[in-house]
Amino acid sequence: MIAWPKGSLSQNVTSIGRLPVMDYICGCILFIKKQGIVKKDDTMNTQIWKEDTENQLGAMRIGVCKYLLNEEFSTLWANDTFYTMCGYSEEEYHILFHDSATLFFQQTPKDFEKLKEIVEHAYRNKSQQYECFCRLPVKGGSCLRIHMTGTFAEEQIDGIPVVLCRLYRC
């Protein structure tokens, strides 16, 4: 059971296990970010909830990213913890890697091939999720060992599946 800070909105979520709660939280963050504009009277509550949820993910050191299941595994969105884990600011990541996991994983191509194989296999077999242990390249040439879990979203962009991914430092 995850112990949420008193008064947080996530405190009321029943935990069946780590992944269902994380899917809920990550999905809610992405929904809020995707909506962009909310009703005027909901703005304050939505902003407080968004900050509360992102702070909880950061405190748990969970990187979250949303990407396309294309050849590049193109990043659509990531939280601050993801960029911190990689050692890059969001701006640096976009400039250096053009939102391409292929470019990002250049120093560890075997890890990227392993990840692609696992993800594509899970998708072909109509699994809802995948799981992978691999190395995440970090600015400066080192790597982090991570546990990566992903969920295939119902959403598609131009017919390309979208994946919601969580990264846990091992």
Side-chain angles (χ1 to χ4, degrees):
M1 178 74 110
I2 297 172
W4 302 108
K6 185 175 182 184
S8 70
L9 292 170
S10 299
Q11 183 181 19
N12 298 324
V13 177
T14 303
S15 175
I16 303 168
R18 185 161 94 179
L19 287 181
V21 172
M22 294 322 308
D23 286 347
Y24 169 79
I25 292 171
C26 298
C28 290
I29 288 174
L30 292 174
F31 175 77
I32 289 169
K33 287 201 176 269
K34 184 178 177 182
Q35 296 304 310
I37 300 171
V38 294
K39 292 179 187 173
K40 196 172 187 179
D41 56 343
D42 291 340
T43 304
M44 181 181 246
N45 288 335
T46 301
Q47 185 61 32
I48 290 168
W49 184 85
K50 178 181 158 193
E51 289 171 8
D52 179 44
T53 305
E54 287 189 359
N55 287 337
Q56 289 173 14
L57 286 171
M60 292 184 283
R61 295 185 182 154
I62 298 172
V64 179
C65 67
K66 182 179 181 181
Y67 66 89
L68 287 175
L69 188 56
N70 59 5
E71 190 64 32
E72 299 293 317
F73 278 34
S74 302
T75 305
L76 299 170
W77 174 87
N79 70 349
D80 291 340
T81 304
F82 171 82
Y83 294 114
T84 300
M85 290 172 92
C86 300
Y88 296 97
S89 69
E90 182 176 354
E91 185 178 348
E92 282 179 300
Y93 184 89
H94 295 305
I95 291 169
L96 292 171
F97 307 114
H98 309 285
D99 296 323
S100 167
T102 303
L103 294 176
F104 176 69
F105 276 91
Q106 279 182 327
Q107 74 185 58
T108 58
K110 288 182 182 178
D111 288 280
F112 184 59
E113 287 305 315
K114 173 184 170 183
L115 172 63
K116 280 183 72 170
E117 184 179 306
I118 289 170
V119 173
E120 290 170 354
H121 180 267
Y123 185 74
R124 275 192 313 273
N125 288 304
K126 301 192 184 317
S127 297
Q128 292 183 328
Q129 296 186 331
Y130 70 87
E131 176 175 46
C132 178
F133 289 89
C134 64
R135 295 178 301 160
L136 182 74
V138 177
K139 185 176 183 177
S142 62
C143 293
L144 287 178
R145 290 226 169 265
I146 60 163
H147 176 202
M148 187 180 296
T149 61
T151 304
F152 300 105
E154 291 181 19
E155 175 186 8
Q156 291 194 356
I157 297 176
D158 294 329
I160 302 170
V162 173
V163 181
L164 176 61
C165 177
R166 287 136 338 256
L167 297 89
Y168 311 91
R169 193 173 181 170
C170 294

